[in-house]
Amino acid sequence: MSITLKDIAQKANVAESTVSRALNDKAGVSQSTKIKILKIAKKNNYRPNQLARGLAIKKTNMIAVITDELDNQGQIKIVKEIEKEAEKAGYQIILCNTKQNPEKEKSYLSLLESNQVEGAIFIGDQLVGSALLKASLSSENNIVLVNRLAEENFFTSVLTDYSHGIFKATKHLIEQGFKNIAILAGSENSLIEAEKLKGYKKALKNSDLKLNHDLIFKNTAGRKAGYNSFLKLCKMNLIPDAFISTQELTTIGLVEAIKTGGYFIPDDFALIGYADTILSSIIEPPLSVLSEPIAKLGSFSFAFLLNLINNNLAEPQIKVLSPKLIVRESSIAKYN
Amino acid sequence: MSITLKDIAQKANVAESTVSRALNDKAGVSQSTKIKILKIAKKNNYRPNQLARGLAIKKTNMIAVITDELDNQGQIKIVKEIEKEAEKAGYQIILCNTKQNPEKEKSYLSLLESNQVEGAIFIGDQLVGSALLKASLSSENNIVLVNRLAEENFFTSVLTDYSHGIFKATKHLIEQGFKNIAILAGSENSLIEAEKLKGYKKALKNSDLKLNHDLIFKNTAGRKAGYNSFLKLCKMNLIPDAFISTQELTTIGLVEAIKTGGYFIPDDFALIGYADTILSSIIEPPLSVLSEPIAKLGSFSFAFLLNLINNNLAEPQIKVLSPKLIVRESSIAKYN
DNA sequence: TTGTATGCGTTATCAG
DNA sequence: CTGATAACGCATACAA
């Protein structure tokens, strides 16, 4: 058993309350007794029991960070950023992984409801479910959403403007003179992917280009899917001159297929990928990509949550951040 | 305020203890009252306050996972694996990041000492410091180390046999007929890197090859360092025919330098890298690498910790796992 | 089967 | 400045 307040009180011949005051630097205790108490505490390596403390003052200094897939590089970076900010503010984070399972999400929600954490940040691509929605209705549940789209958004959230990101990428390709731009998007059920498609379509319309549905590939997620979609394309009549690929692994597969086919990037096919990881700079040629404002996503979300916890947020806030277009070789027209 | 046991007791006209028994599925409560209580609890969305519960039964179902750098891909994968195992056992994990700062490590240790967590897993490359050492002396502190070397190891730990890994890699290159094998290792202060060098030397000796200190590059960590070390090599008399590079980014830099110099892998220089990430399979040519047993590292460490928590471990246990050599094109001699 | 009383370790309120 | 004492929400030994 570790040492408690009571033990120290006995050793110092004072009341527990005095010890508590001394240890917490509160007024109302003479310098001499304070020193005596502090000395005893240090000598015995006293650590206040945080559970008891939390129970008494209703503060745990912990928040939950709930991701849907811990594999996701981007999400991990956001977690890291949140951890950094949280640490500054004296908060610990509990890491949760729902593995895309709504039941898990629901169970993690009880961390909030059981007062283990003071707030929760949900990161991810899933539609906001009923459990989360319901929980958010209570003003006691401090919840911030990151990159999580809801059909109607009552939540305080930090969002990436996927649509505008892809819009910028598409416009860039158009400006480079490419006319037939294909897009490889992920799961049709993903609101995020839907947003990306919107941006693509908007850019075409904005430039008076005709939308060709044959150039839109949905549900291509993963290296293999990226590879295969290129093969499919080759059998079609309309060959595109540029690609936008909305997911990293898909992009890799696509690049492999293009190279295997004996074609060159950007000479035969221009290409813009998604996510600015080391991969995109190493691949041959260096890839133009859309880069998410990861750091800001993390810092804003924690700042919001802290405000919620401290009741400094009168009503839900939404912060929208735009991805940055990083132009490297893969999207530059060689012979303009 | 959320609803408490007491509230439910009042609504049901029974004592708190009865409610507690009913909710915890304990014997000694009639079916009828139990149903009544359960119904009221559900209706009011009751969630037991875990702080109070933990305080009463001295169990938090939480463990701390302490990494030294959250950037580290390998470490994150281990965390993910631990999370998976922990979840099965009903444990939550608190994620901590010391940023290589011993002070931080010390402060996270207090999570243990203040009974917030039932145990802690330390992952990382740093030497075990005095604070950790001291904490480990108390049998109340359940501590497991992962890939963390100590000069004398009293800890229950799970270790990668770095030395043997590099030994295997070196032997493989020798068997392929390479005679002048250079090694690019990381920080001289890292015990892990020191282990790797040991394996290299041992393999040379084992094959009666002379150790050439000019072929040992220490403190080469990062892309730039990898690149530069190749440039340095080019100015030397003795040009190696093969490389072992012990860190991923360093390997990338090295590959870039080799290619920029107009040389080919493995024709001019064979190469074995470290860490089996997607990068190593994408790079041209696909890289032979040493792959760490990440999943096992995670599952063993949690299993150990659980045993410690349940007092099922009479004395410190050490599990040593060996990295796997994955042979791809980069280490195959073309003209044997 | 149920209720009462007490403890877990801390903070806070109120006297003294 | 200091000390009792209640409260936080739950679990449990003991009585009824």
Side-chain angles (χ1 to χ4, degrees):
Chain A
M1 286 306 300
S2 36
I3 190 168
T4 71
L5 260 195
K6 195 195 259 178
D7 300 328
I8 297 187
Q10 282 175 350
K11 285 182 205 287
N13 260 319
V14 294
E16 294 179 47
S17 48
T18 305
V19 177
S20 175
R21 278 188 286 255
L23 258 28
N24 290 305
D25 245 340
K26 300 222 166 165
V29 43
S30 76
Q31 198 64 16
S32 57
T33 53
K34 186 168 176 175
I35 291 178
K36 180 172 66 175
I37 290 170
L38 257 39
K39 202 177 280 179
I40 297 180
K42 171 160 280 182
K43 184 177 152 203
N44 295 75
N45 193 32
Y46 169 76
R47 300 264 178 268
N49 181 318
Q50 294 299 340
L51 295 179
R53 191 159 207 274
L55 186 58
I57 65 180
K58 294 184 174 309
K59 215 163 171 2
T60 59
N61 284 310
M62 296 213 268
I63 63 167
V65 175
I66 294 141
T67 66
D68 58 2
E69 269 306 338
L70 220 46
D71 288 310
N72 189 315
Q73 275 313 303
Q75 291 197 12
I76 291 186
K77 283 188 193 157
I78 298 174
V79 172
K80 192 193 154 198
E81 198 64 26
I82 294 173
E83 195 273 346
K84 196 171 103 192
E85 295 299 317
E87 203 269 331
K88 283 186 205 160
Y91 277 79
Q92 308 276 2
I93 77 175
I94 294 188
L95 183 61
C96 312
N97 182 1
T98 66
K99 305 184 184 81
Q100 308 260 17
N101 178 350
E103 279 310 306
K104 285 260 167 57
E105 178 165 306
K106 204 163 144 188
S107 93
Y108 285 132
L109 226 32
S110 76
L111 284 172
L112 259 182
E113 292 166 337
S114 64
N115 297 314
Q116 267 194 95
V117 297
E118 296 179 28
I121 298 179
F122 287 83
I123 309 174
D125 182 11
Q126 291 186 281
L127 183 56
V128 169
S130 59
L132 187 50
L133 204 58
K134 195 169 145 200
S136 74
L137 262 31
S138 161
S139 67
E140 298 187 21
N141 294 327
N142 301 312
I143 296 177
V144 173
L145 263 39
V146 177
N147 278 350
R148 183 125 180 204
L149 304 177
E151 274 155 6
E152 304 184 51
N153 202 331
F154 315 113
F155 295 87
T156 288
S157 34
V158 187
L159 303 172
T160 302
D161 192 342
Y162 296 103
S163 167
H164 189 235
I166 297 292
F167 176 86
K168 283 194 285 191
T170 312
K171 283 299 265 183
H172 164 70
L173 287 173
I174 293 172
E175 282 158 13
Q176 289 289 314
F178 299 106
K179 300 240 183 297
N180 296 307
I181 302 167
I183 183 166
L184 273 54
S187 166
E188 218 163 354
N189 300 322
S190 159
L191 291 177
I192 289 180
E193 293 300 310
E195 280 298 305
K196 291 177 180 170
L197 282 178
K198 267 190 210 163
Y200 168 76
K201 291 175 185 170
K202 189 174 159 196
L204 293 187
K205 183 172 254 174
N206 185 281
S207 297
D208 292 321
L209 286 178
K210 204 177 62 198
L211 178 67
N212 186 329
H213 284 280
D214 288 344
L215 293 181
I216 298 180
F217 287 69
K218 292 177 182 171
N219 295 314
T220 54
R223 200 164 161 183
K224 199 160 213 167
Y227 195 96
N228 289 336
S229 56
F230 183 76
L231 300 188
K232 261 186 247 165
L233 251 170
C234 291
K235 295 180 191 146
M236 292 178 13
N237 295 327
L238 183 61
I239 303 290
D241 49 9
F243 286 98
I244 292 174
S245 172
T246 68
Q247 300 194 337
E248 182 167 30
L249 286 179
T250 312
T251 309
I252 291 169
L254 175 63
V255 169
E256 288 173 326
I258 293 176
K259 287 186 179 173
T260 305
Y263 299 103
F264 293 93
I265 302 171
D267 311 68
D268 298 309
F269 301 99
L271 173 59
I272 296 184
Y274 205 92
D276 186 31
T277 68
I278 192 162
L279 260 174
S280 49
S281 68
I282 281 172
I283 237 173
E284 211 30 66
L287 256 36
S288 298
V289 289
L290 249 11
S291 161
E292 280 196 45
I294 304 276
K296 280 188 184 170
L297 244 23
S299 54
F300 270 111
S301 63
F302 183 74
F304 275 162
L305 189 59
L306 207 53
N307 278 333
L308 279 175
I309 291 172
N310 298 326
N311 288 317
N312 289 335
L313 233 49
E315 50 189 42
Q317 299 249 334
I318 297 183
K319 176 86 188 173
V320 177
L321 301 166
S322 200
K324 206 168 108 189
L325 178 64
I326 300 179
V327 176
R328 298 202 184 91
E329 293 180 29
S330 72
S331 66
I332 303 291
K334 291 268 164 106
Y335 313 105
N336 253 357
Chain B
M1 285 305 300
S2 38
I3 191 167
T4 71
L5 259 196
K6 196 197 260 179
D7 300 327
I8 296 188
Q10 283 176 347
K11 285 183 205 286
N13 260 318
V14 294
E16 293 180 48
S17 51
T18 306
V19 178
S20 174
R21 279 186 287 254
L23 259 28
N24 290 307
D25 245 340
K26 300 225 166 165
V29 43
S30 77
Q31 199 62 17
S32 59
T33 52
K34 185 167 177 179
I35 291 179
K36 179 171 66 176
I37 292 172
L38 256 38
K39 202 176 281 180
I40 297 180
K42 172 160 280 182
K43 184 177 152 203
N44 294 76
N45 192 32
Y46 169 76
R47 299 266 177 267
N49 181 317
Q50 295 299 339
L51 295 179
R53 190 159 208 275
L55 187 57
I57 66 180
K58 294 183 174 308
K59 212 163 173 5
T60 60
N61 284 310
M62 296 212 266
I63 63 166
V65 176
I66 294 141
T67 65
D68 58 3
E69 270 304 340
L70 219 46
D71 289 311
N72 189 315
Q73 275 312 304
Q75 291 197 12
I76 291 190
K77 284 189 193 157
I78 297 174
V79 172
K80 193 194 151 198
E81 197 64 26
I82 293 173
E83 196 273 346
K84 196 171 104 190
E85 295 297 318
E87 204 269 329
K88 283 187 206 160
Y91 277 79
Q92 309 275 2
I93 76 175
I94 295 187
L95 183 63
C96 312
N97 182 2
T98 66
K99 306 186 183 78
Q100 310 258 17
N101 178 350
E103 279 309 307
K104 284 261 168 58
E105 178 164 306
K106 204 163 146 188
S107 94
Y108 285 131
L109 227 31
S110 77
L111 283 174
L112 259 182
E113 291 165 337
S114 63
N115 297 313
Q116 266 194 94
V117 298
E118 297 179 28
I121 298 179
F122 287 82
I123 309 174
D125 182 12
Q126 291 185 281
L127 183 57
V128 170
S130 60
L132 188 49
L133 204 59
K134 194 170 146 199
S136 74
L137 262 31
S138 161
S139 66
E140 298 189 20
N141 295 328
N142 300 313
I143 296 176
V144 172
L145 264 38
V146 177
N147 277 350
R148 185 128 179 199
L149 305 176
E151 274 155 8
E152 304 185 50
N153 201 331
F154 314 112
F155 294 88
T156 287
S157 34
V158 187
L159 303 171
T160 301
D161 192 343
Y162 296 102
S163 168
H164 188 234
I166 298 291
F167 176 85
K168 284 195 284 191
T170 312
K171 282 298 265 185
H172 164 71
L173 287 172
I174 294 172
E175 282 159 13
Q176 288 288 315
F178 299 105
K179 302 241 180 299
N180 296 307
I181 303 168
I183 184 166
L184 273 55
S187 166
E188 220 163 353
N189 299 322
S190 159
L191 291 177
I192 288 179
E193 293 300 311
E195 280 298 305
K196 291 175 180 171
L197 282 177
K198 268 189 208 161
Y200 167 77
K201 291 175 185 169
K202 188 175 160 198
L204 293 187
K205 182 172 254 174
N206 184 282
S207 297
D208 291 320
L209 287 180
K210 204 176 63 199
L211 178 66
N212 185 331
H213 284 280
D214 288 342
L215 293 181
I216 297 180
F217 287 70
K218 291 176 182 173
N219 294 314
T220 55
R223 201 165 160 183
K224 200 161 212 166
Y227 194 96
N228 289 337
S229 56
F230 183 76
L231 300 187
K232 260 187 249 164
L233 250 170
C234 290
K235 295 179 190 144
M236 294 178 12
N237 295 327
L238 184 60
I239 303 290
D241 50 9
F243 286 98
I244 292 174
S245 172
T246 68
Q247 301 194 337
E248 182 166 29
L249 286 180
T250 312
T251 309
I252 291 170
L254 176 62
V255 169
E256 288 173 326
I258 293 175
K259 287 185 180 175
T260 305
Y263 299 104
F264 293 94
I265 301 171
D267 310 68
D268 298 309
F269 300 99
L271 173 59
I272 295 184
Y274 204 92
D276 185 31
T277 68
I278 192 161
L279 260 173
S280 49
S281 68
I282 282 172
I283 236 171
E284 213 26 67
L287 256 38
S288 298
V289 290
L290 249 12
S291 161
E292 280 196 45
I294 305 273
K296 279 188 183 170
L297 243 26
S299 54
F300 270 111
S301 62
F302 183 74
F304 276 162
L305 189 59
L306 207 53
N307 279 332
L308 279 174
I309 290 172
N310 298 326
N311 288 317
N312 290 333
L313 234 49
E315 50 188 43
Q317 299 250 333
I318 299 182
K319 176 85 188 174
V320 178
L321 301 166
S322 200
K324 205 168 107 189
L325 178 64
I326 298 178
V327 177
R328 298 202 184 91
E329 294 180 27
S330 73
S331 66
I332 303 291
K334 290 269 166 109
Y335 313 105
N336 252 356

